[in-house]
Amino acid sequence: LPPGQRVLKAWKPMGGEPGDPSLEHFSLQVSGAVEAPYTLRWSDLLAMPQVEQQVDVHCVTGWSVMGAQVKGVRLADLAERAKLKPSARHVIFEAAHGYTANVPLREALGPQVMVARELAGAPLPRTHGGPLRAIVPELYFWKSAKWLTGIRFVQRDEPGFWETRGYNNHGDPWREERYG
């Protein structure tokens, strides 16, 4: 890790099967309660405004990474391009093999929420969700879906993979919202 970053426990990959790592096959669908749905290829994603930021990551199992350096596109920029409908209230991150994670819109559009393509100045490793994963640092890391394939804005909440298996629907690490 670069200077200034420290791992409190090992950054272990979240469960699930990896998605296709090839950039030539990469496709990100932005859809749902939007006026202008679209699909991004890798080159389209790179052409969007990129941000670099340090985030703290907290896993429900008890480990944290403090000051992880990530780079990508803010979710708010993706949402602005899609022109959200007033009915949108939640974001569903869609990932490889049907994995989903749900986040309330008010949190999903926060300044640190992004789709990340780099970690510590290098392409996001496949084990950590590369080529692209959601980053929602204010919530437990299971909300930051790996191997991202879609971002769907919805009116009604749709509990995701872990929420339907007993995890808390919100997942605030400071309130220790681990299990439902």
Side-chain angles (χ1 to χ4, degrees), residues 47-108:
M48 293 191 71
Q50 304 288 306
V51 295
E52 287 187 67
Q53 56 193 13
Q54 286 190 343
V55 297
D56 297 340
V57 174
H58 306 285
C59 182
V60 69
T61 62
W63 60 262
S64 293
V65 173
M66 309 304 286
Q69 187 70 32
V70 292
K71 183 177 184 176
V73 176
R74 288 187 205 278
L75 186 65
D77 291 340
L78 295 167
E80 183 178 341
R81 178 175 171 176
K83 300 179 182 163
L84 293 184
K85 291 181 178 178
S87 62
R89 296 285 180 270
H90 301 273
V91 173
I92 308 301
F93 291 113
E94 300 173 328
H97 308 288
Y99 181 93
T100 60
N102 59 325
V103 177
L105 186 65
R106 69 184 178 278
E107 289 172 300

Side-chain angles (χ1 to χ4, degrees), residues 110-150:
Q112 285 197 304
V113 178
M114 66 182 338
V115 295
R117 61 181 187 80
E118 286 187 10
L119 172 64
L124 188 64
R126 189 167 186 220
T127 56
H128 294 307
L132 190 72
R133 85 172 297 152
I135 299 288
V136 186
E138 292 81 14
L139 300 177
Y140 275 122
F141 210 34
W142 86 77
K143 296 290 191 172
S144 297
K146 294 166 54 168
W147 309 299
L148 204 58
T149 61

Side-chain angles (χ1 to χ4, degrees), residues 3 8 15 22 34 41 48 106 123 133 137:
L8 300 182
S22 61
V34 299
R41 297 286 182 212
M48 293 191 71
R106 69 184 178 278
R133 85 172 297 152

